Amino acid sequence: MLTVHADQVVPMASLFEELWGDDIPRSANTTVQTYILHIRNLIATALEQSATTELKDPKRVLVTYPGGYLLDTMGGRVDVRDFDR
């Protein structure tokens, strides 16, 4: 969802629906926050291994907004956009 909608805020409600459909657990907020933490850890590892980027803060790539998250590509390429073209 975050990649398909890169550079756009993806609302928590959309993430909940994608993950659980109509059967959203009470722990949904905490679970999504945990998933985001894991994704940010993966982004941090990738940023550390990249020799071409000065950016080292995964929170600037996967940004928290009120009510959702945004994957900031900073003008970079995203496979889904290449596929659409």
Side-chain angles (χ1 to χ4, degrees):
M1 289 284 298
L2 295 167
T3 303
V4 169
H5 300 286
D7 299 315
Q8 302 172 29
V9 175
V10 178
M12 292 293 282
S14 296
L15 295 171
F16 294 164
E17 184 177 333
E18 185 67 24
L19 290 167
W20 296 288
D22 292 331
D23 193 23
I24 300 168
R26 281 191 272 168
S27 64
N29 276 322
T30 303
T31 302
V32 169
Q33 289 171 349
T34 301
Y35 292 163
I36 294 296
L37 174 66
H38 290 296
I39 294 168
R40 282 186 176 141
N41 288 338
L42 293 170
I43 292 169
T45 300
L47 290 173
E48 289 169 4
Q49 294 174 356
S50 175
T52 61
T53 183
E54 293 179 20
L55 179 66
K56 297 296 180 191
D57 184 2
K59 289 183 179 183
R60 293 192 55 210
V61 177
L62 184 49
V63 184
T64 303
Y65 278 89
Y69 294 94
L70 177 141
L71 181 64
D72 187 349
T73 65
M74 297 171 211
R77 293 180 62 186
V78 178
D79 288 348
V80 71
R81 288 186 191 146
D82 290 345
F83 179 79
D84 285 343
R85 277 192 289 261

